[in-house]
Amino acid sequence: MDEFYQKQTELGQGPFDLAIQEYGNIEAVFMVLEDNPGLDLLANVPAGTTVRFRHAPPSDVVTDGETMQFMRRNEVRVNNAQFV
């Protein structure tokens, strides 16, 4: 099995949204950036961008396992974009 899986972003999602959505913790944002070098910490990701996520984050990365599994199992999308 591959170490990573992929998902496409939706309009307005940024790296912080993706960290919460896939790992259950905003502190995983740096792992999201490490695994996806084209992303910018402070910028929204273009809609439809394919982003890689780890099936099992390393033990030294802070995640919330219960929240992570809930979000993945229910395919919860996190999007905190504010459009004016």
Side-chain angles (χ1 to χ4, degrees):
M1 179 170 74
D2 191 16
E3 179 183 357
F4 295 93
Y5 64 96
Q6 299 179 342
K7 284 195 172 180
Q8 289 191 326
T9 59
E10 62 183 36
L11 180 64
Q13 284 189 304
F16 292 102
D17 298 320
L18 298 171
I20 295 168
Q21 174 181 300
E22 297 302 318
Y23 298 115
N25 192 320
I26 200 165
E27 292 181 35
V29 69
F30 296 107
M31 183 171 59
V32 171
L33 294 172
E34 178 182 324
D35 294 340
N36 298 279
L39 300 185
D40 182 323
L41 179 65
L42 301 177
N44 286 341
V45 182
T49 299
T50 300
V51 183
R52 296 175 1 139
F53 301 101
R54 299 176 194 215
H55 286 286
S59 60
D60 63 334
V61 174
V62 177
T63 60
D64 180 334
E66 188 175 326
T67 302
M68 180 177 75
Q69 292 308 318
F70 175 84
M71 301 288 259
R72 290 179 179 186
R73 183 174 50 251
N74 294 291
E75 297 187 21
V76 175
R77 303 291 282 196
V78 176
N79 189 331
N80 287 300
Q82 295 181 359
F83 297 104
V84 182

